[in-house]
Amino acid sequence: MSAVEDALVGRDFRGAKAWGLAIAVSVLATQALGWLGWVDLARSPYAAPQLHLLGTVLGGFLFGLGMTFVGTCSFGLLVRAGGGDLRAAVSAMIVGIVAIAATAGALSVGREALLSVGSVNFASYGGSSIDGLLGNVAGARGAQVILACALALLIVAPLADSRLRNRRRLLIGSCLMGLAIAAGWLATSFAVDALALDRPESLSFVAPVGRALLQFMMEPFRNIGFGVSAAAGAWGASLLIALWRREFRWEAFDDAIEMRRHLLGAALMGLGGVLAQGCTIGQGLSAASTLAISAPIFIASVLVGAKLGLAYLIEGRAMWRLGLS
């Protein structure tokens, strides 16, 4: 969220460049694992030739809008909650509750009705992967050249920025995040049976938070899946780091207005994440690492939603005006 806000409001693209570096690293590492035969990317949840385009666009828009109201993404909520932020803890629970409601609860009927329309089958266009679509247009060699240039640009852009080169922690963090995505694919590929998974997966922080809440309330902590473990790990690691740095402090809502904004934003994030089948980590990085076409569509939709939300919060523009100018 900070990268989006800096780029859209302050015209500072250092965060966006760092995010691009994370995407490039995740793509290179994940594709290398696929080339080595250690990960079968054809079995990933993003590899299906049929893409629900309406759900991806609408979900990304709602997630971006909700993200501006909350001030961070679903992963950021877990990190802040680990540092003692009760606003983030409550918002994360709302994200999970709405995600479960949209998946198998009261909101699932509307979700299923929406998913019945707006699907696009990319099978005849080379599949739903970016390399497949490019290969259908420019040929296999042309697709490789285009992808290589795009990845090179994502890597060179942050390294060529003198101000960003001085922020080594941010650059290292971006690379580690990209490698964490690849590590997720690798771990679940080797542990599909142990984790009772239908297919390999990587990091995502919307539906797993809902599953964690459901399991906490109704099921014993056995057979915990990768997504729930990753969400718990993100929260637990942030808690330990906050305690180690002596930065842990309790924080709460300032007033009813702030609480209402966070609850609304969290609900939009939960619903949007389910419709788009991922968050800024799940679709923005995990799907991107497999070269799924849904990733750039989702990211563009998030930016539109965030632009609208920021225009409303900062400039007081009406919600129905996109404020794209």
Side-chain angles (χ1 to χ4, degrees):
M1 181 59 214
S2 62
V4 172
E5 186 173 2
D6 288 346
L8 295 180
V9 178
R11 303 301 177 186
D12 182 352
F13 295 95
R14 284 178 293 176
K17 292 176 181 177
W19 187 260
L21 178 61
I23 292 177
V25 172
S26 70
V27 170
L28 291 173
T30 301
Q31 295 299 316
L33 294 176
W35 181 75
L36 291 171
W38 294 351
V39 177
D40 186 2
L41 296 178
R43 295 182 59 198
S44 80
Y46 310 108
Q50 185 159 323
L51 170 66
H52 190 264
L53 186 60
L54 179 60
T56 303
V57 172
L58 180 59
F61 174 81
L62 293 177
F63 192 91
L65 181 61
M67 195 169 61
T68 60
F69 292 164
V70 173
T72 186
C73 65
S74 48
F75 172 70
L77 287 176
L78 295 175
V79 173
R80 290 185 179 183
D85 192 333
L86 296 177
R87 298 167 300 186
V90 171
S91 298
M93 287 189 286
I94 295 298
V95 169
I97 291 171
V98 173
I100 289 296
T103 302
L107 301 178
S108 61
V109 176
R111 180 186 65 86
E112 292 172 359
L114 180 65
L115 293 180
S116 64
V117 297
S119 295
V120 178
N121 195 324
F122 287 92
S124 58
Y125 302 100
S128 60
S129 65
I130 297 175
D131 54 338
L133 293 172
L134 288 175
N136 189 51
V137 176
R141 183 60 59 86
Q144 293 174 356
V145 172
I146 295 173
L147 286 173
C149 291
L151 291 174
L153 179 61
L154 291 177
I155 295 174
V156 170
L159 299 180
D161 191 325
S162 58
R163 296 187 302 165
L164 189 53
R165 285 201 305 270
N166 295 328
R167 298 180 62 180
R168 294 183 179 179
R169 285 181 57 187
L170 179 57
L171 293 177
I172 294 174
S174 299
C175 293
L176 291 177
M177 177 59 82
L179 293 175
I181 297 298
W185 291 117
L186 182 63
T188 55
S189 293
F190 281 112
V192 167
D193 294 333
L195 295 175
L197 299 175
D198 296 328
R199 53 197 175 186
E201 60 184 74
S202 192
L203 300 177
S204 189
F205 295 97
V206 172
V209 173
R211 289 198 297 269
L213 290 174
L214 195 63
Q215 190 160 18
F216 178 77
M217 293 185 293
M218 301 181 62
E219 302 175 12
F221 281 99
R222 293 193 299 268
N223 300 323
I224 298 177
F226 172 78
V228 174
S229 301
W235 173 80
S238 65
L239 172 62
L240 292 176
I241 292 174
L243 293 174
W244 176 56
R245 293 179 175 176
R246 298 182 179 179
E247 295 176 350
F248 183 91
R249 62 180 61 87
W250 295 111
E251 296 183 61
F253 297 105
D254 293 332
D255 50 38
I257 295 176
E258 184 183 34
M259 182 175 184
R260 184 169 62 244
R261 187 176 70 247
H262 275 71
L263 296 184
L264 173 60
L268 292 174
M269 288 168 62
L271 179 59
V274 169
L275 291 177
Q277 296 184 313
C279 57
T280 48
I281 301 293
Q283 278 286 359
L285 285 176
S286 293
S289 70
T290 68
L291 297 177
I293 190 61
S294 60
I297 296 174
F298 173 82
I299 293 174
S301 302
V302 167
L303 292 176
V304 174
K307 179 69 174 179
L308 172 61
L310 290 171
Y312 172 73
L313 292 176
I314 298 175
E315 304 173 19
R317 297 189 188 180
M319 288 295 291
W320 55 86
R321 294 181 59 189
L322 288 178
L324 297 176
S325 59

